[in-house]
């Protein structure tokens, strides 16, 4: 976060970023003709700022006379400093409503101080740092970024949430210069963020009575494709009515424009859908069944599974799924599948229930996000890497991501293979690249078994990586381009190739599960660079060769385990290849 545009505090601690630990930076040089007295004032204030900061960061300087409990962590504060800077704390300490400990310190709970919203530990530390020193420190990466490696963190949910927390602290604890600063920062988010992520900005603007920010957020929501049901569930009544009125005016303008086709909404249909949603809110799936029998409204037409996934108890989602009447891969009007909605909610039990019923983890939103990438963009590094203490609830953020990643590795090609668009062709190329390289790596370590599985699946191998032997047959080489090939023919060829490679991989997973597990991990963690053993410095090459040999050893150990399991099941290791062939032939005969 750049502080150059941030206003100075009421203490006028200017140019404090040029100093650290109370010492003057050598970069500070009075300009020609500058007032020496002014520069002396700046240096004095900067020293004072650094000295006061020690009260927060140095355990040896614990002279606090009050504590505020934030996320179960006691934070020592000094009444005289907070009361002099904040009218809120002045009134709080004057009333002495906090409880006292053995040392006589007043204790307050952050949740008791906030009439609305939330302020976490890290946000409160940043806020205190400004109150004490007049300097606003950069936001900690572990709470203001997400775990998606390709995200620029310009407007992901953790970045927005952290700014929202700081706005709550600045507004409730009455530091007006910070309110002004964070209003500008949140205004900058509004144009960049997904509309779902504008909702928390709108909520803090509403509660903090920031009219300019409210107007901008409402305008964004009105112009978006977010449905009225979601708006009513997420926003207070006053804002819901404001959005509804503006949308009605917008629709009237569209109706007067003859060139625009305005969809007609059936009031009776809308009423019946609302009844189904209210029944789900009441956890009454039996009532849902009755309502379905009484009209021609289906679960899919009501987007009932999307609604339950977003707002209802996981048990209700499971019961709706058990009815067998809803399409688990249905997309709503915004192009979100049910699994996308579950990823936004980050409830592991719902995600697992949907996957067990056939939800496709590789389906993408209109902006190219999968369920797992949605989860990553909602998750802070602090939460993802948090260790679960014994007896405490497991970290849900990590579980959701792990479950979805495992599903993607287990079946990276799940999805609708009937689309014949250029987008689908590009997607197929990526999926085929994954399988081509996975099969090529398998051939490197157990060539005879891999070749047998490929022969049975009628799959010739190709490779996108130098150093691996590859067949150059035109049937498999993804780099070859036929200018006379239509998109439909191309998709048909790619799908045929994909099916053959899928059979090869599944055959390997069936008969060599331990090897497949090592391969899956390798494809996830080490693939991008390890095949190019001759690239990089000598030290980098040495490290890569060492890692390559470790992987080779891991695969052979896994292969030994697979052979041992064959032996325990009554099949000799020497006959494993023939058993594989015989089993496949037997399965084919059964299908015939």
């Amino acid at each position: 976060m750049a502080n150059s545009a941030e206003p100075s505090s009421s203490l006028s601690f200017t140019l404090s970023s040029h100093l650290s630990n109370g010492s003057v930076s050598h970069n500070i040089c009075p300009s020609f003709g500058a007032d020496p007295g002014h520069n002396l004032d700046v240096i004095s204030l900067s020293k004072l700022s650094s000295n006061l900061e020690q009260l927060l960061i140095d355990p040896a300087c614990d002279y606090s006379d009050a504590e505020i409990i934030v996320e179960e962590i006691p934070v020592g504060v000094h009444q005289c400093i907070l009361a002099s800077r904040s009218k809120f704390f002045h009134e709080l300490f004057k009333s002495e409503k906090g409880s006292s400990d053995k040392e006589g310190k007043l204790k307050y709970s952050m949740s008791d101080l906030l009439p609305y919203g939330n302020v976490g530990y890290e946000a409160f530390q940043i806020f205190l740092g400004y109150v004490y020193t007049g300097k606003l420190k950069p936001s900690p990466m572990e709470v203001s970024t997400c775990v998606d490696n390709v995200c620029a963190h310009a407007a992901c949910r953790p970045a927005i949430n952290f700014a929202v927390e700081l706005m709550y602290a600045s507004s409730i604890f009455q530091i007006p210069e910070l309110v002004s600063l964070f209003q500008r920062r949140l205004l900058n988010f509004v144009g960049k963020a997904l509309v779902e992520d504008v909702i928390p900005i709108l909520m803090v603007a509403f509660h903090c009575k920031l009219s300019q920010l409210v107007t901008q957020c409402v305008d964004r929501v009105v112009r978006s494709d977010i449905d009225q049901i979601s708006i009513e569930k997420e926003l207070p009544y006053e804002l819901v009515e404001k959005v509804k009125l503006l949308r009605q005016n917008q629709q009237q303008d569209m109706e007067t424009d003859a060139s625009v086709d305005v969809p007609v909404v059936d009031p009776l249909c809308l009423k019946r859908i609302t009844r189904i949603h209210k029944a789900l809110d009441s956890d009454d799936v039996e009532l849902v069944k009755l309502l379905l029998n009484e009209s021609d409204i289906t679960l899919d037409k009501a987007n009932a599974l999307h609604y339950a996934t977003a707002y209802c108890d996981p048990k209700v989602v499971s019961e709706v799924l058990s009815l067998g009447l809803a399409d688990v891969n249905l997309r709503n009007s915004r192009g979100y599948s049910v699994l996308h909605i579950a990823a936004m909610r980050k409830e592991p039990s719902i995600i697992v229930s949907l996957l067990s019923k056939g939800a496709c983890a590789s389906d993408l939103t209109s902006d190219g996000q999968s369920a797992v990438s949605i989860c990553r963009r909602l998750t802070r590094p602090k939460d993802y890497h948090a260790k679960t203490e014994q007896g405490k609830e497991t970290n849900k953020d990590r579980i959701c991501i792990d479950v979805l990643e495992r599903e993607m590795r287990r079946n990276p090609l799940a999805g609708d293979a009937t689309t014949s668009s250029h987008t689908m062709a590009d997607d197929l190329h990526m999926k085929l690249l994954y399988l081509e390289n996975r099969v090529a790596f398998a051939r490197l370590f157990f060539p005879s078994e891999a070749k047998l599985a490929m022969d049975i699946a009628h799959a010739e191998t190709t490779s996108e990586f130098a150093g691996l032997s590859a067949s150059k047959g035109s049937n498999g080489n993804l780099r070859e381009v036929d200018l006379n090939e239509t998109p439909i023919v191309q998709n048909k060829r790619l799908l045929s190739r994909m099916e053959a490679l899928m059979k090869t991989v599944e055959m390997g997973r069936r008969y060599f599960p331990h090897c497949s597990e090592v391969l899956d991990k390798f494809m996830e963690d080490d693939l991008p660079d390890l095949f190019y053993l001759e690239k990089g410095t000598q030290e980098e090459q040495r490290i890569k060769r060492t890692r390559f040999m470790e992987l080779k050893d891991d695969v052979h150990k896994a292969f030994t385990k697979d052979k041992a399991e064959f032996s325990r099941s009554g099949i000799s290791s020497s006959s494993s290849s023939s058993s594989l062939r015989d089993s496949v032939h037997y399965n084919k005969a059964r299908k015939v």
Side-chain angles (χ1 to χ4, degrees):
M1 293 184 181
N3 296 340
S4 58
E6 293 166 4
S8 61
S9 73
S10 57
L11 294 178
S12 300
F13 288 161
T14 57
L15 298 181
S16 56
S17 60
H18 292 285
L19 297 122
S20 60
N21 300 323
S23 61
V24 182
S25 169
H26 294 293
N27 293 328
I28 294 184
C29 245
S31 59
F32 182 74
D35 181 5
H38 173 72
N39 287 295
L40 183 61
D41 288 343
V42 171
I43 294 171
S44 298
L45 286 172
S46 298
K47 285 185 176 180
L48 174 61
S49 169
S50 298
N51 291 335
L52 286 173
E53 189 175 23
Q54 298 303 309
L55 297 174
L56 294 174
I57 64 176
D58 189 352
C61 296
D62 183 15
Y63 305 115
S64 60
D65 52 9
E67 282 186 349
I68 299 176
I69 311 300
V70 189
E71 295 179 344
E72 301 182 0
I73 303 173
V75 178
V77 296
H78 305 79
Q79 295 182 63
C80 60
I81 295 177
L82 290 186
S84 65
R85 294 283 282 120
S86 162
K87 185 178 179 181
F88 175 92
F89 284 110
H90 173 76
E91 296 297 330
L92 177 70
F93 296 143
K94 188 168 66 173
S95 64
E96 294 188 357
K97 291 182 179 179
S99 59
S100 299
D101 60 11
K102 294 180 181 178
E103 300 176 359
K105 289 185 179 181
L106 291 175
K107 284 185 176 290
Y108 304 89
S109 172
M110 177 63 76
S111 58
D112 295 335
L113 302 180
L114 304 176
Y116 43 77
N118 173 67
V119 176
Y121 175 77
E122 290 81 6
F124 189 56
Q125 288 287 345
I126 295 290
F127 171 81
L128 281 182
Y130 181 81
V131 169
Y132 275 63
T133 70
K135 297 185 293 185
L136 190 64
K137 289 188 174 181
S139 301
M141 297 288 286
E142 67 270 14
V143 290
S144 61
T145 62
C146 68
V147 296
D148 189 346
N149 293 330
V150 300
C151 179
H153 311 304
C156 58
R157 180 61 77 87
I160 290 173
N161 284 349
F162 194 74
V164 165
E165 288 181 24
L166 284 167
M167 173 58 87
Y168 273 126
S170 305
S171 176
I172 294 170
F173 301 145
Q174 300 178 32
I175 305 294
E177 64 269 24
L178 279 187
V179 172
S180 177
L181 167 65
F182 286 112
Q183 178 170 230
R184 292 199 302 273
R185 188 166 293 176
L186 290 172
L187 278 169
N188 187 47
F189 281 134
V190 173
K192 300 177 181 178
L194 297 172
V195 67
E196 293 88 357
D197 297 333
V198 172
I199 299 299
I201 302 176
L202 178 53
M203 291 298 293
V204 71
F206 175 76
H207 287 304
C208 297
K209 296 179 172 55
L210 306 171
S211 58
Q212 182 186 2
L213 188 55
V214 168
T215 300
Q216 293 281 349
C217 290
V218 168
D219 180 64
R220 175 71 197 282
V221 171
V222 169
R223 290 184 291 105
S224 74
D225 59 356
I226 190 169
D227 57 271
Q228 191 65 28
I229 293 171
S230 299
I231 292 173
E232 291 174 359
K233 295 293 289 188
E234 301 287 346
L235 298 177
Y237 177 78
E238 182 179 333
L239 290 175
V240 170
E241 290 301 304
K242 193 170 187 176
V243 171
K244 186 185 295 185
L245 178 62
L246 290 172
R247 280 190 165 179
Q248 287 174 353
N249 295 337
Q250 187 182 64
Q251 187 170 12
Q252 288 173 1
D253 293 340
M254 292 170 63
E255 289 173 351
T256 58
D257 187 349
S259 64
V260 179
D261 292 329
V262 180
V264 179
V265 180
D266 181 359
L268 180 60
C269 177
L270 186 60
K271 184 177 181 180
R272 288 171 174 172
I273 290 174
T274 303
R275 285 177 178 173
I276 291 174
H277 291 169
K278 287 183 177 180
L280 290 170
D281 285 333
S282 302
D283 299 350
D284 195 341
V285 179
E286 288 300 319
L287 178 57
V288 171
K289 290 164 66 176
L290 289 174
L291 293 172
L292 293 174
N293 292 333
E294 291 176 356
S295 70
D296 60 348
I297 301 296
T298 64
L299 287 179
D300 289 346
K301 194 170 184 178
N303 280 325
L305 196 50
H306 285 82
Y307 185 89
T309 298
Y311 304 114
C312 299
D313 189 272
K315 177 176 66 69
V316 175
V317 178
S318 180
E319 290 177 3
V320 173
L321 284 170
S322 67
L323 295 178
L325 301 174
D327 179 1
V328 75
N329 288 308
L330 178 73
R331 291 177 181 265
N332 62 14
S333 60
R334 304 184 63 210
Y336 290 148
S337 72
V338 184
L339 193 61
H340 294 148
I341 301 298
M344 294 176 189
R345 181 171 173 177
K346 294 195 297 184
E347 176 54 55
S349 60
I350 293 179
I351 290 175
V352 171
S353 296
L354 292 172
L355 291 173
S356 66
K357 291 294 184 179
C360 181
S362 61
D363 278 352
L364 303 179
T365 62
S366 58
D367 61 343
Q369 297 294 312
S370 65
V372 69
S373 62
I374 290 172
C375 260
R376 290 193 191 110
R377 295 216 172 178
L378 293 172
T379 303
R380 307 180 302 175
K382 176 185 177 180
D383 301 321
Y384 182 78
H385 298 295
K387 294 182 179 179
T388 304
E389 297 181 15
Q390 189 173 3
K392 290 193 174 182
E393 187 176 357
T394 307
N395 186 301
K396 288 187 176 182
D397 301 84
R398 181 63 181 261
I399 292 177
C400 290
I401 294 174
D402 286 350
V403 166
L404 289 167
E405 285 181 342
R406 201 175 307 127
E407 178 65 16
M408 292 287 281
R409 291 196 300 269
R410 187 187 71 81
N411 189 11
L413 305 179
D416 183 8
T418 62
T419 310
S420 59
S421 65
H422 289 291
T423 302
M424 184 60 188
D426 292 339
D427 192 34
L428 282 177
H429 271 96
M430 293 303 297
K431 293 174 180 178
L432 278 168
L433 178 61
Y434 171 88
L435 282 183
E436 295 282 7
N437 292 323
R438 193 185 187 287
V439 171
F441 184 63
R443 289 179 66 246
L444 194 66
F445 291 110
F446 38 98
S448 59
E449 286 76 8
K451 186 177 186 304
L452 174 61
M454 293 170 64
D455 289 343
I456 294 169
H458 305 291
E460 297 178 1
T461 187
T462 60
S463 172
E464 293 293 311
F465 291 97
L468 292 183
S469 61
S471 167
K472 299 299 181 183
S474 60
N475 183 48
N477 195 335
L478 301 183
R479 293 189 183 276
E480 291 192 2
V481 177
D482 183 355
L483 297 178
N484 296 318
E485 189 177 47
T486 66
I488 295 176
V489 174
Q490 183 189 47
N491 278 356
K492 186 175 181 181
R493 174 174 61 83
L494 293 177
L495 287 169
S496 176
R497 178 68 177 162
M498 182 178 68
E499 183 179 355
L501 288 172
M502 281 182 65
K503 288 180 181 178
T504 303
V505 173
E506 289 306 316
M507 206 67 65
R509 285 192 173 123
R510 178 176 180 182
Y511 291 97
F512 309 105
H514 295 94
C515 287
S516 295
E517 185 178 344
V518 174
L519 287 171
D520 287 338
K521 187 177 187 305
F522 175 73
M523 293 295 293
E524 178 188 3
D525 297 337
D526 297 298
L527 186 62
D529 189 51
L530 204 56
F531 272 110
Y532 299 101
L533 299 178
E534 305 303 324
K535 290 190 176 183
T537 64
Q538 289 187 348
E539 178 63 18
E540 289 173 342
Q541 290 180 30
R542 185 190 66 78
I543 293 173
K544 285 193 285 186
R545 291 180 193 280
T546 301
R547 176 62 182 139
F548 191 82
M549 295 307 297
E550 289 174 354
L551 282 166
K552 186 173 181 179
D553 186 52
D554 289 343
V555 170
H556 281 295
K557 286 180 180 178
F559 192 40
T560 302
K561 288 182 181 179
D562 288 328
K563 285 185 176 181
E565 290 189 1
F566 272 121
S567 300
R568 284 196 295 271
S569 61
I571 305 174
S572 65
S573 59
S574 61
S575 64
S576 61
S577 296
S578 60
S579 299
L580 172 59
R581 183 187 293 107
D582 293 342
S583 175
V584 172
H585 288 168
Y586 172 71
N587 287 334
K588 284 185 176 180
R590 287 184 62 189
K591 290 180 180 178
V592 174

